[in-house]
Amino acid sequence: MAKKQKALDFQAILEQVNADFPTYQALDKDGKIVNPDLVPDLSDDELVELMTRMVWSRVLDQRSTALNRQGRLGFFAPTAGQEASQLASQFAFEKEDVLLPGYRDVPQLIQHGLPLKEAFLWSRGHVAGNLYPEDLKALPPQIIIGAQYVQAAGVALGLKKRNKKNVVFTYTGDGGSSQGDFYEAINFAGAYHANAVFYIQNNGFAISTPREVQSAAPTLAQKAAAAGIPGIQVDGMDPLAVYYVSKEAREWAANGNGPVLIETLTYRYGAHTLSGDDPTRYRTKEMDTEWQEKDPLVRFRKYLTEKGLWTEEKEEQIIEQTKEEIKAAIAEADRVPKQKVSDFLKNMFEVQPQNIKEQIATYEAKESK
């Protein structure tokens, strides 16, 4: 008797679900174009500007680490290795687009318009670090994992209801894609065709938890399918591909087609944060070396040098300028008056109840001595 064919083939269903999520790449690790179709239409000046921002971000990471160790900076999440994922994506958006960052996304926030001094004050936990200029379309970095996704969905719907052609863009890590907020946000934005571009910066680890135990899905981009929105995976160490995909996603969302989810495959060279994490406990030297060979600055430097747009002297000049910018900004932050307990109490309520008024008076008396 012939073997009866199964009415349901779960393996075939699984294979179908996992299909068609290639990694898009324009520039390989040697700085060579491997897919001309993904090379964006950027002028020579724009290419140089993008590289300048990436070098600036690497220096900012190095100096912020040093300032943290000196006790002059508070909370800091290292960004080295993620320059293409962060800065090439932000480069694709417009000033009137709204950025909702996570705590590792301070470089994008500064490039979007936040003064560096305010970024340092935010790291120190100073309220002045959250007082944004009126023309800055952004919210302060979210510390709660994935919470910025929910906020982004709401802001994106607001833009759509006001018939704006601008979009919201927001970031989380691979660990953030396991949060309930992640699913709620992309589902809500998808249902209302809201103007949003969601990024998952897959740097391999959620603190120390490896990506492979985060989800059984071969890609994180395919999680978009559950919300009925496009999902795409891109080489997050390739600034050209990240920019191209981001620009296309922005145009799609701005034109009322709904949100896009982009997974960038990237790597953070440093710790999760400088608040006690030790990456040598869960990452190998071989893994670090493998990713350093894909370094976004190295490959973009090779590409621009071959085009005659970049030199070692130019890069050194940018490095020195950035160091001076950081030195001036941290000095400005140092001059901002330190916070007092009475200030915290005053900031708690717009209209202070009697018990808070009494506490303010008590602390002001102590602070005046």
Side-chain angles (χ1 to χ4, degrees):
M1 182 180 293
K3 187 175 180 181
K4 185 178 179 181
Q5 187 175 1
K6 287 185 176 181
L8 286 175
D9 187 338
F10 287 110
Q11 183 60 38
I13 293 171
L14 184 61
E15 290 171 1
Q16 184 178 11
V17 167
N18 291 337
D20 299 326
F21 284 92
T23 303
Y24 286 85
Q25 182 188 67
L27 197 65
D28 68 13
K29 65 179 183 179
D30 297 316
K32 303 295 183 184
I33 297 297
V34 293
N35 189 344
D37 292 338
L38 293 179
V39 176
D41 184 20
L42 289 169
S43 68
D44 288 350
D45 287 344
E46 288 172 324
L47 289 169
V48 170
E49 174 61 23
L50 177 54
M51 180 62 175
T52 299
R53 294 185 184 195
M54 290 170 59
V55 172
W56 166 88
S57 184
R58 182 66 61 91
V59 177
L60 179 63
D61 175 87
Q62 294 166 348
R63 297 303 302 150
S64 296
T65 298
L67 289 166
N68 175 275
R69 289 170 177 164
Q70 294 166 12
R72 301 184 68 193
L73 205 61
F75 177 84
F76 179 66
T79 60
Q82 296 190 205
E83 291 85 1
S85 175
Q86 295 180 312
L87 278 303
S89 58
Q90 187 274 333
F91 199 58
F93 292 88
E94 299 180 1
K95 183 177 175 60
E96 293 301 309
D97 293 331
V98 185
L99 168 59
L100 274 73
Y103 52 77
R104 201 182 305 280
D105 303 310
V106 175
Q108 301 100 295
L109 191 54
I110 297 168
Q111 290 298 335
H112 205 56
L114 181 69
L116 184 54
K117 177 191 76 173
E118 273 71 19
F120 287 149
L121 288 171
W122 175 82
S123 173
R124 293 176 173 182
H126 200 294
V127 67
N130 298 280
L131 303 177
Y132 284 9
E134 287 188 13
D135 62 344
L136 175 54
K137 305 298 183 182
L139 291 182
Q142 180 59 261
I143 294 293
I144 301 170
I145 305 299
Q148 64 273 24
Y149 259 50
V150 173
Q151 294 172 323
V155 175
L157 180 59
L159 291 175
K160 182 179 180 66
K161 291 179 74 67
R162 297 203 307 272
N163 296 313
K164 297 288 186 180
K165 284 292 186 180
N166 293 102
V167 305
V168 175
F169 61 113
T170 187
Y171 301 81
T172 193
D174 43 292
S177 71
S178 296
Q179 294 289 106
D181 285 354
F182 168 87
Y183 292 99
E184 292 167 12
I186 64 172
N187 187 69
F188 181 92
Y192 287 98
H193 292 84
N195 308 8
V197 179
F198 297 100
Y199 287 91
I200 304 172
Q201 295 192 92
N202 179 0
N203 61 25
F205 292 89
I207 307 183
S208 59
T209 303
R211 151 67 182 95
E212 56 267 23
V213 301
Q214 284 283 332
S215 171
T219 72
L220 301 179
Q222 70 194 76
K223 294 189 175 188
I229 66 175
I232 186 170
Q233 186 183 78
V234 62
D235 180 353
M237 310 294 268
D238 174 1
L240 295 183
V242 170
Y243 176 86
Y244 183 90
V245 167
S246 298
K247 194 71 174 176
E248 291 292 310
R250 186 205 174 276
E251 293 305 308
W252 171 271
N255 287 322
N257 297 302
V260 178
L261 178 69
I262 300 173
E263 176 189 5
T264 62
L265 297 178
T266 186
Y267 197 71
R268 57 170 166 84
Y269 297 150
H272 174 71
T273 71
L274 299 186
S275 303
D277 176 48
D278 178 5
T280 63
R281 297 180 63 185
Y282 54 86
R283 290 193 329 220
T284 64
K285 290 183 178 179
E286 291 75 18
M287 182 181 295
D288 287 346
T289 300
E290 177 187 351
W291 279 96
Q292 285 165 358
E293 290 173 354
K294 304 174 184 178
D295 190 286
L297 268 65
V298 172
R299 70 169 73 177
F300 205 30
R301 182 185 299 123
K302 289 178 179 177
Y303 175 71
L304 295 182
T305 300
E306 190 168 320
K307 289 174 70 71
L309 299 175
W310 200 258
T311 63
E312 184 177 341
E313 292 76 19
K314 183 176 184 62
E315 186 162 334
E316 284 300 320
Q317 183 182 17
I318 292 164
I319 290 170
E320 292 307 313
Q321 288 175 347
T322 303
K323 288 180 179 178
E324 288 302 313
E325 177 190 353
I326 292 168
K327 182 178 178 181
I330 200 71
E332 282 187 78
D334 287 343
R335 290 193 289 271
V336 174
K338 289 182 170 54
Q339 297 178 108
K340 298 176 289 188
V341 174
S342 60
D343 293 330
F344 292 132
L345 291 167
K346 289 175 184 177
N347 291 335
M348 190 179 300
F349 295 95
E350 183 177 5
V351 178
Q352 294 144 4
Q354 183 59 35
N355 65 320
I356 297 297
K357 290 179 179 179
E358 292 172 1
Q359 292 178 50
I360 290 172
T362 299
Y363 280 102
E364 283 182 333
K366 293 179 180 179
E367 291 159 356
S368 64
K369 293 179 181 179

